[in-house]
Amino acid sequence: MSYKLFIPGPVEVSEKTYKAMTTPIFGHRSKDFVKLVEEVMPRLKQLFYTNDPVFLSTSSSWGVMEGAIRNVVKKGVLNCCNGAFSDKWFDVSKRCGKEAGALVAEWGKPVDPEALEKELSTNKYDAVTIIHNETSTGTMSDISALSEVLKKFPDVVSIVDTVSSFSALPIKKDELGIDVMVTGCQKALAIPPGLSFCSVSDKAMKRAETVEGRGYYFDFLEFKKFYDKNQTPSTPIISLIYALRSKLDDIFEEGVENRYARHLENNRIVRQWGYAHGFELFPEEKYGSVSLNCFKNNLDVDLPGLLDELKKRFAMVFNGGYGKIKGKTFRISNMGDETPETMKELLDNIDQILPAYIGKAKQA
Ligand SMILES: Cc1ncc(COP(=O)(O)O)c(C=O)c1O
């Protein structure tokens, strides 16, 4: 059975993208592969707003998120924790054997610039991780304000996860001074999972040169050696790089600014729909994500029941909450190729069945 995905990743993949993936492959040391990388790289860098290298990693985002920790942390890493993915990054840092500290904010709250400055002033850290858009709570931190703080700490390497915000709004890596910016392909880029991206500044590369235990698969120095030849260190997921090439064609044909505006409009439509039904946004409105909406389930909707019927009757799915707020929240993604029309179609379908599920949530 196939159904349309409005979960916050992976998202719906277009026929065109699927078709691009069936292009016959070639060897990753061939001139044809070099040509393919030459075709995607300038446009990918444009989306990162960077002149730094962008490494292509055959892994999901966690690969390069863990890799970044292994490459740049010497003294200690401060993990900004305000949701499921950022909390997990703290755990991953410790599992990598690093000295790690957590700057904890309540789920649904953004990373606080003042608290960040105070914590970095302790001089305990030479790296920091921030999730720009906490997908678990639909909360987007103010990356400009945070980057102003980071600029006061030139010895700290910043690692920013833009997994669920990249290409949904501009995130100007070089201007913001982000050292390591990571993202994946299955969110706003609307490509099937398996390819992730990591753009690394000179400062972060220099740090990596001095760090022991970087391993091999995610070693920035290995990535850079092959990046300079328009290759990858090991056999990459070539089919997804074809998908990326096709998606970059789509993005630049639509126009990046138009794409950002479309995401914003999709997001607004869903948010207004939620408010009109009496749902409250989980984060404070001004920190609400532009790529998804996370609403409180304050109407006690039987989410499993609703989701089941939506899938059976309309072949569509959204998400019934993540981690410790599963059931207490729900999330609707507006990423990728969705349009105001497709968002309205989803919402109309939900409206047809929603009344029967309101007030029917089973208490855990
Ligand atoms: C903000 C964020 N970071 C990291 C991840 C992990 O990505 P992956 O499962 O593709 O490794 C996700 C996945 O949803 C995410 O939303």
Side-chain angles (χ1 to χ4, degrees):
M1 183 197 180
S2 85
Y3 40 86
K4 193 165 159 67
L5 301 174
F6 288 93
I7 57 173
V11 305
E12 192 66 10
V13 175
S14 71
E15 283 303 316
K16 178 174 178 276
T17 301
Y18 277 132
K19 191 155 178 288
M21 288 170 62
T22 63
T23 311
I25 58 161
F26 31 58
H28 60 294
R29 299 287 175 242
S30 66
K31 287 193 181 120
D32 294 310
F33 182 75
V34 168
K35 189 164 163 282
L36 176 62
V37 175
E38 282 171 355
E39 277 173 4
V40 298
M41 197 49 73
R43 290 180 294 171
L44 195 54
K45 286 167 102 171
Q46 223 174 305
L47 288 183
F48 271 87
Y49 296 83
T50 192
N51 291 316
D52 290 332
V54 179
F55 302 143
L56 303 174
S57 174
T58 294
S59 67
S60 80
S61 302
W62 272 118
V64 277
M65 288 164 74
E66 174 169 334
I69 300 288
R70 288 180 178 270
N71 275 272
V72 305
V73 181
K74 264 180 106 166
K75 188 159 71 175
V77 58
L78 176 66
N79 299 111
C80 299
C81 299
N82 64 333
F85 296 102
S86 45
D87 286 2
K88 188 164 165 182
W89 217 351
F90 176 46
D91 181 40
V92 169
S93 301
K94 290 184 286 185
R95 290 194 200 194
C96 290
K98 303 291 184 181
E99 281 299 321
L103 177 63
V104 179
E106 213 180 299
W107 281 30
K109 298 263 187 259
V111 178
D112 176 10
E114 270 179 44
L116 177 67
E117 178 157 0
K118 189 159 170 249
E119 201 53 35
L120 288 180
S121 302
T122 60
N123 207 23
K124 287 195 289 194
Y125 308 105
D126 59 3
V128 61
T129 67
I130 295 171
I131 292 196
H132 176 223
N133 191 54
E134 236 311 342
T135 326
S136 59
T137 62
T139 305
M140 209 160 67
S141 288
D142 181 349
I143 195 67
S144 303
L146 295 170
S147 81
E148 287 311 311
V149 171
L150 294 172
K151 283 175 187 164
K152 297 181 190 169
F153 299 91
D155 296 335
V156 174
V157 171
S158 56
I159 311 168
V160 178
D161 164 321
T162 62
V163 171
S164 60
S165 50
F166 182 80
S167 88
L169 76 165
I171 307 159
K172 302 188 175 178
K173 178 181 175 291
D174 290 358
E175 212 174 289
L176 292 164
I178 297 171
D179 291 305
V180 181
M181 181 161 141
V182 301
T183 194
C185 69
Q186 81 277 23
K187 309 271 183 189
L189 287 173
I191 293 171
L195 179 65
S196 59
F197 312 100
C198 183
S199 179
V200 181
S201 71
D202 205 37
K203 175 172 133 190
M205 285 305 301
K206 290 216 163 65
R207 171 72 62 74
E209 283 167 18
T210 69
V211 176
E212 302 273 322
R214 301 186 306 273
Y216 163 70
Y217 196 69
F218 298 109
D219 178 9
F220 286 174
L221 272 60
E222 285 290 333
F223 270 126
K224 177 69 166 60
K225 197 161 79 191
F226 286 89
Y227 166 86
D228 287 340
K229 300 188 272 189
N230 284 308
Q231 290 186 11
T232 52
S234 52
T235 319
I237 191 150
I238 299 171
S239 311
L240 289 189
I241 304 178
Y242 284 135
L244 173 66
R245 179 174 65 181
S246 165
K247 181 50 68 185
L248 290 167
D249 290 345
D250 298 346
I251 292 174
F252 285 91
E253 205 170 292
E254 178 181 10
V256 283
E257 296 300 329
N258 294 337
R259 179 181 174 80
Y260 300 146
R262 176 168 58 75
H263 278 78
L264 202 58
E265 178 58 8
N266 288 348
N267 187 266
R268 191 192 63 78
I269 290 168
V270 179
R271 197 167 296 177
Q272 291 314 314
W273 168 90
Y275 288 162
H277 284 74
F279 291 114
E280 295 163 24
L281 204 63
F282 186 72
E284 197 186 320
E285 164 122 71
K286 78 179 204 208
Y287 298 108
S289 165
V290 298
S291 57
L292 71 143
N293 279 287
C294 180
F295 291 106
K296 292 181 191 165
N297 185 12
N298 52 301
L299 301 184
D300 290 329
V301 175
D302 167 12
L303 287 167
L306 176 73
L307 288 166
D308 205 36
E309 188 172 351
L310 189 73
K311 190 165 159 186
K312 282 195 187 116
R313 275 185 58 185
F314 301 107
M316 290 183 169
V317 290
F318 64 92
N319 173 273
Y322 191 92
K324 68 184 185 192
I325 52 173
K326 187 178 162 85
K328 299 189 180 102
T329 55
F330 63 95
R331 302 178 301 162
I332 299 180
S333 159
N334 55 265
M335 292 179 238
D337 299 331
E338 301 311 331
T339 63
E341 291 69 35
T342 62
M343 296 314 303
K344 282 180 194 151
E345 192 187 344
L346 167 73
L347 301 174
D348 287 348
N349 290 343
I350 298 174
D351 279 343
Q352 286 193 48
I353 58 177
L354 179 63
Y357 294 95
I358 290 177
K360 301 281 169 55
K362 292 175 189 68
Q363 299 308 324

